[in-house]
Amino acid sequence: MPADFLHIEKTSGTARLGRLSTPHAQIQTPVFMPVGTVASVKGVPQDTLEELGAQIILGNTYHLYLRPGVETVRRMGGLHGFMSWPRAILTDSGGFQVFSLNELRKVKEEGVTFRSHLDGSSHFFSPESAMEAQIGLGADIIMAFDECTEYPADQARMRASMEMTARWAARSKKYFEEHKHEVPWTRAGTDVFVRPAERSSASSFSEGGTTSESFHSAQNSGLRPSGLTNASVPTCSEETQSLFGIVQGGMDRALRKESCERLIEIGFPGYAIGGLSVGEPRDLTREIVESTLKHLPKDKPRYLMGVGTPEEIVEYSNLGVDMMDCVLPTRAARHGLLFTSEGKITIKQARYAQDPGPLDPNCSCRVCQRYSRAYLRHLYASNEVLAQVLNTIHNLSFYLDTMQRVRHSISLGEESRFLSGVWSQPKP
Amino acid sequence: MPADFLHIEKTSGTARLGRLSTPHAQIQTPVFMPVGTVASVKGVPQDTLEELGAQIILGNTYHLYLRPGVETVRRMGGLHGFMSWPRAILTDSGGFQVFSLNELRKVKEEGVTFRSHLDGSSHFFSPESAMEAQIGLGADIIMAFDECTEYPADQARMRASMEMTARWAARSKKYFEEHKHEVPWTRAGTDVFVRPAERSSASSFSEGGTTSESFHSAQNSGLRPSGLTNASVPTCSEETQSLFGIVQGGMDRALRKESCERLIEIGFPGYAIGGLSVGEPRDLTREIVESTLKHLPKDKPRYLMGVGTPEEIVEYSNLGVDMMDCVLPTRAARHGLLFTSEGKITIKQARYAQDPGPLDPNCSCRVCQRYSRAYLRHLYASNEVLAQVLNTIHNLSFYLDTMQRVRHSISLGEESRFLSGVWSQPKP
């Protein structure tokens, strides 16, 4: 981790405008990270993600570990080379997915035995193996292996779980420090090397817009498997991945505080708040986030995992969260639920069958610029694949534009006044 | 139909290089038409189709009639406005699809009663109602209602079927001539008007390349539902659709000749060869096509329906066919079958799991320029929607590039020497 990993450019109340420097890209924060579970943001080609202004995407270690497997990805130069994505990537630790398996897992101090949801085969994740997998996948930011405490849970259970997560965090860090140079950008012995992008300078980064020059140059300068273009792809600089710790502690504010303290004692370049959005009321989520943030270092990035609605990403940005991810925009799109400045649209409704207007009159995405609600409704009703493609592009555009507006507000020292409060309500 | 509907620029043997002038675009022939059954080439956004150099796409009247319905499309300015496609469109007559329903149809002289494959509801298509539907859909080129003779069929059946098709062709033309001004580009009383594209001049058309300036200007000048952009969209010029006749006659050369003669007597601006690729051997297809072409006017476009493999579209271009369509590139893509200059690739094969090379080293499409076989194999194996999107883009690119090379060969007066003969064979 470089000393200037997070540069805070401006604050406004509790909100922070920052610049996060990762090996493959500089990221303007607060940032929303689209989820690309198995190295694909479902239905959206990578060049379209670039056009949408996605700065960093998320991959799921559990899924990628099962298919195509870490070794395949590592040989292709890590996820960047494998999926031909020149910007930043974050992988989760696999913990959340493994704990979602419920009947299929068994937790011990050493780690978790679980069965694949694909074929029922048995696997084992420990802090060490989760690190090994994430180093092989080669994301810019990786996560310590944690236990996501279920909700509800009693006090003893929340404490025990938080304490194990803290011990696992220490083991994660130890393994990472010993092996971080094995990341596929630098390692000799991989079949394919990938050169990280030229760092985008803050001044050249085209805030929230289409592909910036620096990204273009990154993409053109060799961020592909060497089989595709240039035979000589140099090895990376000495930069390595950044490992984040994950705060747990259930819905108990004191345990959350203790979790923060224990992680800070171990020392990480960034901290995530995990174990939320697991079924608890929204007010409680907000309360836990707000109290937890107070115990995290101001000079380090804070990542709120798995959140949330358009209103929530604005709200948590204002509370001082720097990074968020959520499947909501992509998953909702697949179900025909579309976020607009006028409220949420269920595109299958008959009212849109002959509606010539754009999905969102205030949106400049390629979907709203070209297609009518009537056409999108027809595609969805006809079960056409293009429905998923276009719906996902729009919802991601809405989320990414929302974050751009949040950043703009912070830069002006304003509250995010544009927050209408109706986005997740159905359009009247 | 303008007097200069088809301008033959060059011939080479039996092959012809031409320029077909439709209300929405000029088309360089021979041309391959991607199939967009329900107003979408499955999985491919319209701007990507433009980039691929698709000049004209095909819509299926039967499917569009059932969903979203002709009236919905008509109100949106026809298919061009509905799907926001500024270039040319052709619709089939519905005949082939209806005759594919087998158990669900009943044919009489008046027309065909059939049941919807969607909900079992009962419908009736006649030459008149098929014309009414196609005028409402507003494609540039529309097809007479025909009976697609089954294979095999005896002599009496082939004759009777061919004769009914001829009578239906006369009725189709009569209805069309009486109603052709009702096309939604010109008709008062539609909710939304669509302005046709500025005609691309032959000189400005960027042969087979990415979006030409003229197409850009067409798109920007109002080819959308008015709800999307400009409130004032002028009505069209006095140009109307072009109605093609369809040659039938089964596998009998004399009946095919007679079918040509009867259609020519009725008089159409273009002629299609239907009733082939219905299960007969490939040699027989070729024999019938070759003999039928001799009886069609040299100054009118000839459209071979539902053909074929990459080799076949080259072969039939060389025989003098000007237009072809086929679901093969798009359907094969969905099954992971990819055409390349080295042969056909079944991308799910394990041999590609760690292959860092592009799908086709000789292809300049955005898929081959960016992604590895390993990644495409992973997407397909993981059942990701992006697999279908990228596979379809590549296969269409292969087909459209092949036709571009055919046109280039004809322009040089050469045989299509690049025809390797291995495209549809598996890659070694």
Side-chain angles (χ1 to χ4, degrees):
Chain A
M1 176 197 67
D4 58 346
F5 183 49
L6 176 68
H7 175 73
I8 304 278
E9 295 178 329
K10 175 116 186 175
T11 58
S12 174
T14 48
R16 311 123 60 83
L17 184 72
R19 207 172 61 231
L20 191 61
S21 298
T22 74
H24 288 87
Q26 279 202 344
I27 297 160
Q28 301 289 320
T29 60
V31 66
F32 178 79
M33 305 184 284
V35 177
T37 301
V38 290
S40 167
V41 176
K42 292 188 188 307
V44 185
Q46 273 70 311
D47 54 351
T48 303
L49 287 174
E50 288 175 348
E51 282 177 26
L52 288 170
Q55 307 181 71
I56 174 169
I57 60 174
L58 186 143
N60 289 119
T61 298
Y62 163 78
H63 291 90
L64 291 163
Y65 162 86
L66 291 178
R67 192 166 59 186
V70 172
E71 186 56 21
T72 292
V73 175
R74 193 188 61 74
R75 282 171 177 262
M76 302 290 295
L79 280 171
H80 293 87
F82 180 62
M83 67 182 290
S84 188
W85 176 250
R87 301 185 186 177
I89 301 176
L90 180 148
T91 47
D92 66 4
S93 66
F96 181 77
Q97 259 85 21
V98 166
F99 287 100
S100 302
L101 294 173
N102 284 317
E103 305 305 308
L104 300 173
R105 67 175 157 83
K106 196 170 172 187
V107 185
K108 294 187 173 175
E109 182 68 27
E110 178 56 21
V112 185
T113 305
F114 62 96
R115 290 192 178 278
S116 161
H117 72 287
L118 296 175
D119 61 7
S121 56
S122 184
H123 300 268
F124 178 73
F125 264 8
S126 66
E128 292 77 17
S129 69
M131 289 305 101
E132 184 185 20
Q134 288 186 82
I135 292 169
L137 295 175
D140 298 88
I141 297 173
I142 67 177
M143 305 304 295
F145 193 62
D146 65 321
E147 184 181 48
C148 179
T149 316
E150 67 281 2
Y151 175 84
D154 64 27
Q155 188 69 15
R157 167 72 190 131
M158 289 192 291
R159 167 162 290 283
S161 178
M162 181 276 284
E163 290 181 345
M164 188 160 73
T165 286
R167 292 190 296 273
W168 283 2
R171 284 167 58 188
S172 294
K173 184 177 177 185
K174 180 168 187 291
Y175 187 95
F176 175 70
E177 290 299 331
E178 290 166 0
H179 297 270
K180 63 187 179 186
H181 293 292
E182 294 169 14
V183 71
W185 327 319
T186 54
R187 187 179 183 185
T190 53
D191 295 347
V192 178
F193 295 100
V194 170
R195 176 166 63 187
E198 252 66 55
R199 279 279 192 80
S200 342
S201 76
S203 59
S204 76
F205 181 82
S206 161
E207 163 77 0
T210 55
T211 339
S212 72
E213 279 307 307
S214 52
F215 283 146
H216 269 307
S217 66
Q219 188 195 333
N220 295 336
S221 66
L223 245 170
R224 303 169 183 158
S226 61
L228 277 178
T229 44
N230 28 12
S232 71
V233 186
T235 54
C236 183
S237 73
E238 283 309 295
E239 253 181 317
T240 58
Q241 301 169 288
S242 296
L243 172 64
F244 282 26
I246 301 180
V247 177
Q248 292 288 350
M251 304 303 156
D252 185 285
R253 295 161 65 142
L255 286 178
R256 288 276 172 180
K257 176 171 184 284
E258 190 176 332
S259 181
C260 290
E261 290 164 353
R262 293 180 72 155
L263 292 176
I264 291 166
E265 197 182 321
I266 299 167
F268 292 95
Y271 297 90
I273 304 176
L276 294 177
S277 287
V278 289
E280 78 282 7
R282 289 290 158 96
D283 286 351
L284 184 54
T285 315
R286 188 197 145 103
E287 186 189 310
I288 297 294
V289 171
E290 196 165 10
S291 79
T292 302
L293 285 170
K294 296 196 179 102
H295 306 298
L296 291 176
K298 285 199 181 335
D299 61 340
K300 299 282 198 303
R302 297 110 164 234
Y303 163 28
L304 178 55
M305 305 179 86
V307 168
T309 64
E311 288 90 336
E312 286 167 347
I313 64 173
V314 173
E315 181 179 14
Y316 289 121
S317 295
N318 284 329
L319 290 179
V321 167
D322 306 301
M323 304 162 66
M324 283 167 281
D325 78 282
C326 192
V327 294
L328 184 56
T330 41
R331 182 172 292 169
R334 296 198 291 281
H335 293 100
L337 304 175
L338 300 164
F339 296 100
T340 80
S341 61
E342 299 174 337
K344 197 162 70 180
I345 281 180
T346 304
I347 197 63
K348 73 176 171 190
Q349 290 175 347
R351 64 199 279 206
Y352 301 120
Q354 298 193 358
D355 186 337
L359 203 47
D360 185 345
N362 300 312
C363 178
S364 62
C365 84
R366 62 162 77 186
V367 178
C368 290
Q369 289 300 306
R370 182 153 194 165
Y371 305 102
S372 64
R373 290 173 181 153
Y375 183 62
L376 295 172
R377 195 255 179 190
H378 163 65
L379 291 177
Y380 188 81
S382 303
N383 205 22
E384 284 289 301
V385 163
L386 191 58
Q388 174 175 340
V389 174
L390 298 182
N391 290 349
T392 304
I393 290 173
H394 169 78
N395 270 0
L396 283 180
S397 177
F398 189 81
Y399 266 65
L400 295 167
D401 282 357
T402 297
M403 292 307 287
Q404 186 192 344
R405 292 160 76 188
V406 167
R407 291 192 296 269
H408 187 65
S409 287
I410 301 171
S411 76
L412 297 176
E414 293 172 349
E415 282 288 311
S416 296
R417 290 174 307 182
F418 58 83
L419 173 55
S420 71
V422 303
W423 292 335
S424 293
Q425 295 297 314
K427 175 174 149 63
Chain B
M1 175 198 66
D4 57 346
F5 183 49
L6 176 69
H7 175 73
I8 303 278
E9 295 177 331
K10 177 118 186 170
T11 59
S12 174
T14 47
R16 312 122 59 84
L17 183 72
R19 206 171 62 231
L20 192 60
S21 298
T22 74
H24 288 88
Q26 278 202 347
I27 297 160
Q28 302 289 320
T29 61
V31 66
F32 178 79
M33 305 183 284
V35 177
T37 300
V38 291
S40 167
V41 176
K42 294 189 187 304
V44 185
Q46 273 71 310
D47 54 350
T48 304
L49 287 174
E50 288 175 349
E51 281 176 27
L52 288 169
Q55 306 181 72
I56 174 170
I57 61 175
L58 186 144
N60 289 119
T61 298
Y62 164 78
H63 291 90
L64 291 163
Y65 162 85
L66 291 179
R67 194 167 58 187
V70 173
E71 185 56 22
T72 292
V73 175
R74 191 187 63 75
R75 281 170 178 262
M76 302 292 293
L79 280 171
H80 293 88
F82 181 62
M83 66 181 292
S84 189
W85 176 251
R87 301 186 186 175
I89 301 176
L90 180 149
T91 47
D92 66 3
S93 67
F96 181 77
Q97 260 84 20
V98 166
F99 287 100
S100 302
L101 294 174
N102 284 317
E103 305 306 308
L104 300 172
R105 67 174 158 83
K106 196 171 172 184
V107 185
K108 295 187 175 178
E109 181 68 26
E110 177 57 21
V112 185
T113 305
F114 62 95
R115 290 192 178 279
S116 161
H117 73 287
L118 297 175
D119 61 6
S121 56
S122 184
H123 301 268
F124 178 72
F125 264 7
S126 66
E128 292 76 17
S129 69
M131 289 306 101
E132 183 185 21
Q134 289 187 82
I135 292 169
L137 295 174
D140 298 88
I141 297 173
I142 67 177
M143 305 303 295
F145 193 61
D146 66 323
E147 184 181 49
C148 179
T149 317
E150 66 281 4
Y151 175 83
D154 64 26
Q155 189 69 15
R157 166 74 190 129
M158 288 191 292
R159 167 162 289 283
S161 179
M162 181 275 284
E163 290 181 346
M164 188 161 72
T165 287
R167 291 190 297 273
W168 284 2
R171 286 168 55 189
S172 294
K173 184 176 177 186
K174 180 168 187 290
Y175 187 94
F176 175 71
E177 291 299 332
E178 291 165 359
H179 296 270
K180 63 187 179 186
H181 292 291
E182 294 169 13
V183 70
W185 328 318
T186 53
R187 186 179 182 185
T190 51
D191 296 346
V192 179
F193 294 100
V194 170
R195 175 167 61 190
E198 253 66 53
R199 279 276 191 82
S200 342
S201 76
S203 59
S204 76
F205 182 82
S206 162
E207 163 78 358
T210 54
T211 339
S212 73
E213 280 306 307
S214 53
F215 283 144
H216 268 307
S217 67
Q219 189 194 333
N220 295 335
S221 66
L223 244 170
R224 302 171 182 155
S226 61
L228 278 178
T229 46
N230 29 11
S232 72
V233 187
T235 55
C236 183
S237 74
E238 283 309 295
E239 253 181 317
T240 59
Q241 301 169 289
S242 295
L243 171 64
F244 282 25
I246 302 180
V247 177
Q248 292 287 349
M251 304 302 157
D252 184 284
R253 295 162 65 143
L255 286 177
R256 289 274 171 181
K257 177 170 183 283
E258 190 177 333
S259 181
C260 290
E261 290 163 353
R262 294 180 69 155
L263 292 176
I264 292 167
E265 196 182 323
I266 299 167
F268 292 96
Y271 298 89
I273 304 175
L276 294 177
S277 287
V278 289
E280 77 283 7
R282 289 288 159 97
D283 287 350
L284 185 53
T285 316
R286 189 197 145 103
E287 186 189 310
I288 298 295
V289 171
E290 197 166 8
S291 79
T292 303
L293 285 170
K294 295 195 180 105
H295 307 298
L296 291 175
K298 284 200 183 331
D299 61 341
K300 300 280 199 304
R302 298 111 162 233
Y303 164 27
L304 178 56
M305 306 180 87
V307 168
T309 65
E311 288 90 338
E312 286 168 345
I313 63 173
V314 174
E315 181 179 14
Y316 290 120
S317 295
N318 284 329
L319 289 180
V321 167
D322 306 300
M323 305 162 68
M324 283 167 281
D325 77 284
C326 193
V327 294
L328 184 57
T330 41
R331 183 172 291 167
R334 295 198 292 279
H335 293 100
L337 304 176
L338 299 164
F339 296 101
T340 81
S341 61
E342 299 174 336
K344 197 163 68 180
I345 282 180
T346 304
I347 197 63
K348 74 176 170 190
Q349 290 175 349
R351 65 199 279 206
Y352 301 119
Q354 298 192 359
D355 186 337
L359 202 48
D360 185 344
N362 300 312
C363 178
S364 62
C365 84
R366 62 161 78 186
V367 178
C368 291
Q369 288 300 306
R370 181 154 194 163
Y371 305 102
S372 64
R373 290 172 182 154
Y375 183 62
L376 295 173
R377 195 255 179 190
H378 163 66
L379 292 178
Y380 188 81
S382 303
N383 204 22
E384 284 288 302
V385 162
L386 191 57
Q388 173 176 340
V389 174
L390 298 181
N391 290 349
T392 304
I393 290 172
H394 169 78
N395 270 0
L396 282 180
S397 178
F398 188 81
Y399 266 65
L400 295 168
D401 283 358
T402 297
M403 290 307 287
Q404 187 191 343
R405 292 160 76 187
V406 167
R407 290 192 296 267
H408 186 65
S409 287
I410 301 171
S411 75
L412 298 177
E414 294 172 348
E415 282 287 311
S416 297
R417 289 173 308 180
F418 58 83
L419 173 56
S420 72
V422 304
W423 292 335
S424 292
Q425 295 298 313
K427 175 175 149 64

